[in-house]
Amino acid sequence: PLTVRPAPPKPPPPVSIRSVIRIGERKALGGDVNEMEQPQKAVHFHMRFLDLVGEVCFGRNKAVVERVLANAAAYGVEYDQLMKVIKHEHMPYALRATACDLMQQLYVDIDPYQPMTFVTGTRVWDAFFSEANDDDKAFEGMIGGSDRLMDLKGMLIDMLSTLKDTNVQESDRNRFVTKLVSLVQALARFGFYHFYCPKKRIYKANFEEMRRGLRPPP
């Protein structure tokens, strides 16, 4: 006899994160999971899942990073998606902090970007530069470049400028600011806040650009 297969279960309805945290981020997501309503559980699960993704991608785990990027849209970790979460003023600070971690693990601390290194054991700079190749193209490989990350570095400095009034009583916000600073630090380590000095033919850190967002309020 013919049997009728049951219809596949319907996917759960979409959940609005803004609606869930309307009662307050700490109150909505900081309690016992078993006592949460279904929308709260969904947001809590999504945030813990993203935390897990960041953990397994840590340390340039290339095989895992490639697998995650292949499913980036489904996981909500595409570059543009993470940028929107980081910038969104109404997203939970915990989610925005996790987005900073994922941005670093998936798009910043990856091959081929390498930390900037400098010669520190010589005093004969004149002789060194006189023997250098006159073709500036010989120095193009010193710093990795990406238009997307250039946009990211400007956005981070602007955000830090608007978050100067963070105080010790706002732990979630403080954690988010700490993650922003860590992301700036990673970009600086790979040369994205450096500029080329034609006189010495080296890349130098543009500290003034970073200080613009890191100065304490007057």
Side-chain angles (χ1 to χ4, degrees):
L2 296 175
T3 58
V4 179
R5 292 183 178 181
K10 295 182 179 180
V15 175
S16 169
I17 296 178
R18 291 183 61 180
S19 297
V20 169
I21 65 168
R22 191 169 294 165
I23 60 175
E25 179 177 344
R26 184 69 60 84
K27 186 176 180 180
L29 303 174
D32 186 349
V33 177
N34 295 321
E35 297 179 358
M36 293 181 180
E37 299 293 334
Q38 191 58 39
Q40 292 171 274
K41 288 182 178 179
V43 174
H44 186 273
F45 173 82
H46 178 64
M47 292 174 62
R48 298 291 77 80
F49 169 75
L50 294 181
D51 286 337
L52 177 61
V53 171
E55 289 291 334
V56 297
C57 291
F58 182 78
R60 298 198 174 196
N61 191 337
K62 186 176 181 180
V64 176
V65 169
E66 289 178 349
R67 180 67 63 88
V68 170
L69 291 177
N71 298 278
Y75 294 166
V77 296
E78 287 185 313
Y79 180 86
D80 290 339
Q81 290 174 316
L82 294 177
M83 284 280 283
K84 289 178 180 178
V85 172
I86 293 172
K87 292 190 294 184
H88 205 304
E89 296 180 357
H90 299 290
M91 289 292 103
Y93 284 119
L95 179 58
R96 298 169 76 185
T98 298
C100 288
D101 281 339
L102 289 167
M103 182 67 78
Q104 181 170 336
Q105 305 303 339
L106 297 176
Y107 299 101
V108 177
D109 192 1
I110 59 172
D111 293 328
Y113 304 133
Q114 298 296 326
M116 299 289 286
T117 56
F118 302 93
V119 177
T120 59
T122 181
R123 296 183 181 179
V124 289
W125 288 107
D126 291 340
F128 174 81
F129 289 117
S130 66
E131 296 174 3
N133 191 330
D134 290 335
D135 187 358
D136 286 342
K137 291 183 179 180
F139 295 87
E140 288 182 354
M142 293 180 64
I143 178 173
S146 167
D147 291 339
R148 293 195 307 180
L149 295 185
M150 292 302 176
D151 293 339
L152 172 64
K153 73 171 195 173
M155 182 268 286
L156 292 174
I157 294 298
D158 291 339
M159 290 194 64
L160 287 171
S161 297
T162 65
L163 293 168
K164 290 177 180 177
D165 60 344
T166 300
N167 60 66
V168 294
Q169 296 179 349
E170 300 177 289
S171 58
D172 294 331
R173 181 168 172 169
N174 284 340
R175 179 172 177 266
F176 172 56
V177 173
T178 300
K179 295 298 184 179
L180 287 177
V181 174
S182 296
L183 194 47
V184 170
Q185 183 183 33
L187 287 167
R189 187 167 69 250
F190 297 119
F192 286 96
Y193 287 103
H194 288 61
F195 68 97
Y196 184 65
C197 177
K199 184 177 180 180
K200 292 187 175 181
R201 305 186 70 174
I202 60 174
Y203 283 92
K204 300 175 64 176
N206 189 350
F207 292 115
E208 184 56 35
E209 182 178 10
M210 288 184 277
R211 289 192 189 103
R212 179 166 57 87
L214 301 178
R215 283 197 190 98

